[in-house]
Amino acid sequence: MVVGRGGVMLDGDGGGTAVAGDAAMAGDAATAVRFRVRDMDCSHCVTRIEDGLRKVDGVMGVGANLVGRTVTVEIDAGLVETEEVRRAIGRLGHLAEPDTGARRERAAATWATRDARITYASAALFAVGLALQLAGVGPLLFTLPLNEVRIPSLLFVASALVGGWRFMPDGFRAARELSLDMNFLMTVAILGAVAIGEYLEAAAIAFLFSTAELLESYAVDRARASMESLMDLAPKTAVVLRGGVEETVRASEVAVGDVVVVRPGERIPVDGSVVEGGSAVDESPLTGESLPVEKDPGDPVFAGTITRDGFMQIRTEKPADSSSLARIVELVERAGAEKAKTERVVTRFARWYTPAITVAAVLVVAVPTLAGADFITWLVRGLTLLVIACPCALVISTPVAVVSGITAAARRGVLIKGGVYLEAMSGVRAMAMDKTGTLTVGHLEVREVRSTRGAPPVTVLARAAAVEARSEHPIARAIHEEAARRDIHTHYAVRDFAARRGEGVEARLDGVRHFVGKPAVLGLGEPPEGMAGDGRTVVVVADEDGPLGWISLEDRARKQAREAVGRLHGLGIRPVVMLTGDDDATGRRVAGETGVDEVLARLLPHEKVEALNALEREHGRVAMVGDGVNDAPSLAAASVGIAMGAAGSDAAIDSADVALMGDDLTRLPYLFRLSRKSRAVIRQNITTALLVKLVLVVGVPLGMVTLITAVLVGDVGVSLLVTANALRLARVDA
């Protein structure tokens, strides 16, 4: 499957970084292709594939995603074809197929695979052999130089060979390539144990390592299944209205322009707009916001959200594979390929850790033996060090935690576009926030209506709404909304409507000329005392006899803004700075309502970028929150750019590092808690894996660590521990 130009840029050590734009590519012939590699289930598989493909002529970059089990390859189409790349992956011992985006197996399927059956067979042979040996059953069959062979011994050898069937072929391949990967190390350990007559240990290594690999595969599948379960939010079928007749079709077959019928309690299958009917819609699967949103004709709706109490007909505006939900799933999966800084460091560390321990294993055998010690004793200890040299638990500790965190965030309406941004958020110490549409609701609302000639305020508002009926200005929309909220209906005959740019609008109501706009146009000077303070907008409503009344409007602060800013302060994020192009008075009013620490007003877009750079020089990493479109330069300049209200907006999702799908500012404190918890979990995992390995390495020369202990504790045990710890991120409270 061709992903397309501009799809992937690959870093120096194999981490894929999603980018947009042709600038990411090295030349006009550059193309990104993606493969599904179902048997890529460990960190060494990733390393083998990345290193192997880089040697292929025409391959310009490689990025393997362990959790997604995908490999994205940037190729020069003039030098190498997609099929050649697929065959190259095959020669590396893996089965690759074009990535069609189809659903993969669930985590439970791990236990029904060929590798699982091999593990079960190895375990059965091992268990029977151990039971016979403990019971003292099994006659002496023959004697070898280093051991006696009884029936349990044969069962142990059989268990070792069956269990080794999973990785020994790769071990021999690694030997030919002079690669010290885990398969080679385990193969040497098993064959060495058999050669010196340690049949029980050989079987234990094969069985336990095979089990560890299966558990690691399950951990990867579990993380991926959590990610893929996002797909379940969208229904597989849709009811389409064609020729006045309802027809059930696959959701993927719904075309742009089709009208979809959705009944109460059903999930909406497409992105579109309501053309008939209405309902309260639960948008929490997409935005994380718990309160249902009322939808009426003309309002947008999104795939995966749930109708509550009404019938709707929805005109489709995006195909299924381009819906907001599909975009989220795609970006969450792509995020798994973007390695965090810590993950890259661990990967580089593992590249020298394994050879270093292998050299130590050789020295552990050679030095004491040359000094006259028992060769067999120290050979066993050397083989034990080879087992400990496997860095699986260390390498898997970070990607599983990153995917767990990113998936948990997506379920709560926070889209994080890579582990690098999840990690970067934990280091943010100050925050900048746009005012309009971020700290405020983003549109004017009527605050006060006063009359001047004895008419009730409702009359003033009614006449203003009638004059503004044909205007699309934000002031007009605010007046219409307030009239509707008060259930005011106008029945004036409106004639001769005209808009006066920068001044207001006028029209005749029942033959009488009326004007709604700036007081200065009529030479009225300042509005009544108390109406224009704190940066509010005031318009006059007048007829041929003079002013009828005044309307004061303002862009109100969001209800959750003060709570969100307070929580950020509680997390040590200070200062929280408002950046706005509005005047000082408006900025100070919103600051007072929201609790931000500082206001920088009357800023042009480039001045916002300069302000961000100054904040970073003073405080270190700074996050910027904006609407994702108008604030694109600021979002790009910040350490982490956060777009707000991104549901349905491809531009907002593309322009930021993190996207809040809804308008709930309380997701910001959750994002910080999650990032810090993720950093803590990753550090715990790395520290645990290293400490366990270190203790075992020290204990081997002292004879305190057996082969079985090395596998059971150093591989199986620590792998399970770091995986379980990583999966805790799904439980971080929103």
Side-chain angles (χ1 to χ4, degrees):
M1 173 184 179
V2 176
V3 176
R5 295 180 56 194
V8 171
M9 180 176 67
L10 298 147
D11 59 32
D13 44 17
T17 303
V19 296
D22 291 346
M25 293 304 178
D28 291 339
T31 302
V33 294
R34 189 165 64 183
F35 301 93
R36 179 75 55 196
V37 185
R38 299 181 189 274
D39 57 352
M40 184 178 69
D41 54 9
C42 67
S43 57
H44 285 281
C45 299
V46 170
T47 302
R48 183 191 307 118
I49 291 173
E50 289 181 340
D51 291 347
L53 288 181
R54 288 194 186 99
K55 299 175 183 177
V56 177
D57 290 338
V59 171
M60 303 163 65
V62 185
N65 181 349
L66 174 60
V67 175
R69 285 184 175 160
T70 59
V71 176
T72 304
V73 187
E74 186 183 335
I75 63 173
D76 185 332
L79 296 177
V80 64
E81 297 180 354
T82 300
E83 180 59 22
E84 292 179 59
V85 177
R86 190 189 68 78
R87 288 198 298 267
I89 296 175
R91 288 193 296 272
L92 294 169
H94 296 275
L95 179 62
E97 57 189 28
D99 180 25
T100 61
R103 180 177 303 279
R104 279 81 73 191
E105 296 87 354
R106 292 299 190 191
T110 306
W111 310 111
T113 60
R114 167 186 171 274
D115 287 344
R117 292 192 293 272
I118 290 173
T119 303
Y120 301 151
S122 177
L125 291 167
F126 178 78
V128 173
L130 186 60
L132 292 176
Q133 180 162 301
L134 292 175
V137 178
L140 176 64
L141 299 179
F142 51 88
T143 301
L144 293 177
L146 296 176
N147 205 356
E148 295 179 341
V149 177
R150 299 176 181 271
I151 290 178
S153 301
L154 292 180
L155 291 173
F156 290 144
V157 172
S159 174
L161 294 176
V162 170
W165 193 3
R166 285 194 59 185
F167 52 85
M168 281 185 175
D170 289 331
F172 294 134
R173 182 182 297 108
R176 290 196 301 270
E177 298 171 357
L178 301 179
S179 172
L180 295 178
D181 68 9
M182 65 173 187
N183 298 306
F184 171 77
L185 297 175
M186 291 299 174
T187 299
V188 171
I190 291 171
L191 295 180
V194 170
I196 62 176
E198 299 289 345
Y199 305 126
L200 173 61
E201 284 74 7
I205 294 172
F207 156 58
L208 291 174
F209 182 68
S210 185
T211 301
E213 288 291 281
L214 196 63
L215 290 171
E216 184 175 334
S217 180
Y218 175 72
V220 171
D221 286 342
R222 171 87 177 269
R224 190 179 71 252
S226 176
M227 178 174 62
E228 291 175 353
S229 64
L230 293 170
M231 299 178 185
D232 292 336
L233 297 177
K236 304 299 180 292
T237 61
V239 178
V240 180
L241 197 62
R242 291 175 177 169
V245 178
E246 293 184 4
E247 180 181 347
T248 301
V249 301
R250 292 181 179 178
S252 59
E253 297 175 355
V254 179
V256 173
D258 281 348
V259 174
V260 174
V261 175
V262 183
R263 292 178 169 79
E266 295 181 346
R267 286 188 183 270
I268 297 173
V270 296
D271 278 13
S273 58
V274 180
V275 294
E276 185 177 317
S279 173
V281 175
D282 178 5
E283 294 187 339
S284 61
L286 192 67
T287 67
E289 296 178 2
S290 57
L291 294 178
V293 180
E294 292 291 337
K295 298 291 184 179
D296 297 306
D299 290 338
V301 293
F302 307 109
T305 57
I306 308 166
T307 58
R308 288 301 186 197
D309 54 10
F311 172 92
M312 291 189 296
Q313 292 184 4
I314 300 165
R315 176 168 287 109
T316 305
E317 295 178 351
K318 292 181 180 179
D321 59 359
S322 298
S323 70
S324 293
L325 180 60
R327 291 268 294 156
I328 291 172
V329 174
E330 175 191 356
L331 289 173
V332 168
E333 183 174 39
R334 189 187 300 171
E338 189 162 358
K339 294 183 179 179
K341 180 180 178 180
T342 302
E343 185 177 355
R344 292 195 295 269
V345 171
V346 169
T347 300
R348 287 195 292 268
F349 172 78
R351 288 180 183 272
W352 69 260
Y353 164 82
T354 298
I357 299 297
T358 302
V359 170
V362 173
L363 294 176
V364 161
V365 178
V367 173
T369 300
L370 292 175
D374 180 64
F375 170 73
I376 298 301
T377 298
W378 288 97
L379 178 60
V380 171
R381 293 176 183 180
L383 294 174
T384 303
L385 270 182
L386 286 181
V387 172
I388 297 171
C390 175
C392 292
L394 181 63
V395 176
I396 198 176
S397 60
T398 301
V400 173
V402 166
V403 170
S404 180
I406 289 175
T407 304
R411 289 184 171 280
R412 290 166 173 80
V414 180
L415 178 59
I416 305 171
K417 295 169 71 174
V420 62
Y421 307 116
L422 180 65
E423 188 174 58
M425 281 298 300
S426 66
V428 168
R429 291 294 175 265
M431 174 165 281
M433 304 179 78
D434 178 52
K435 179 185 76 69
T436 305
T438 302
L439 285 167
T440 67
V441 294
H443 62 272
L444 293 172
E445 297 179 357
V446 173
R447 180 179 177 87
E448 184 181 5
V449 181
R450 292 189 192 178
S451 62
T452 58
R453 302 206 315 244
V458 67
T459 301
V460 175
L461 188 61
R463 294 194 184 187
V467 174
E468 296 276 17
R470 298 182 185 178
S471 174
E472 293 297 326
H473 192 277
I475 290 177
R477 288 198 296 271
I479 291 174
H480 295 158
E481 290 173 0
E482 181 66 13
R485 189 183 69 81
R486 298 191 186 189
D487 200 24
I488 296 173
H489 302 282
T490 60
H491 304 285
Y492 300 102
V494 182
R495 299 285 188 276
D496 302 332
F497 170 84
R500 298 164 63 172
R501 183 179 296 274
E503 297 179 350
V505 295
E506 61 183 358
R508 292 187 179 275
L509 304 182
D510 292 341
V512 179
R513 179 177 173 272
H514 284 70
F515 171 82
V516 180
K518 293 182 178 179
V521 175
L522 300 181
L524 297 177
E526 296 297 321
E529 184 178 353
M531 291 197 75
D534 294 332
R536 299 188 186 97
T537 298
V538 179
V539 296
V540 65
V541 182
D543 62 10
E544 296 170 350
D545 297 324
L548 282 169
W550 304 78
I551 300 176
S552 174
L553 307 98
E554 67 180 10
D555 184 6
R556 296 179 186 269
R558 293 189 182 276
K559 294 179 180 178
Q560 321 98 332
R562 178 171 285 277
E563 177 188 355
V565 172
R567 290 186 186 178
L568 290 173
H569 284 157
L571 291 168
I573 307 301
R574 194 182 290 271
V576 178
V577 181
M578 179 199 302
L579 306 181
T580 178
D582 286 339
D583 57 78
D584 291 327
T586 302
R588 286 195 302 271
R589 172 181 63 80
V590 176
E593 294 176 356
T594 59
V596 300
D597 302 297
E598 187 179 347
V599 178
L600 301 178
R602 297 188 182 279
L603 297 180
L604 297 173
H606 73 276
E607 291 174 325
K608 289 186 179 181
V609 173
E610 293 171 1
L612 276 170
N613 292 335
L615 284 171
E616 289 192 340
R617 286 193 296 270
E618 182 177 356
H619 301 285
R621 287 182 181 171
V622 177
M624 170 70 187
V625 188
D627 64 12
V629 180
N630 298 329
D631 297 308
S634 301
L635 294 175
S639 303
V640 182
I642 305 172
M644 184 169 168
S649 171
D650 290 347
I653 292 175
D654 288 338
S655 65
D657 308 317
V658 178
L660 307 183
M661 303 310 293
D663 292 323
D664 187 356
L665 282 171
T666 61
R667 298 295 168 197
L668 288 173
Y670 163 73
L671 176 59
F672 277 100
R673 289 198 308 274
L674 178 67
S675 65
R676 292 178 181 182
K677 185 69 173 178
S678 298
R679 179 182 61 181
V681 164
I682 290 170
R683 288 181 175 178
Q684 290 164 8
N685 284 352
I686 293 172
T687 302
T688 299
L690 285 176
L691 284 177
V692 170
K693 297 281 188 182
L694 178 61
V695 169
L696 293 175
V697 167
V698 172
V700 167
L702 302 176
M704 301 172 62
V705 180
T706 66
L707 274 169
I708 296 176
T709 303
V711 179
L712 190 59
V713 177
D715 197 51
V716 179
V718 74
S719 292
L720 284 175
L721 188 60
V722 299
T723 299
N725 195 36
L727 295 177
R728 290 192 302 120
L729 291 173
R731 297 196 296 271
V732 175
D733 293 334

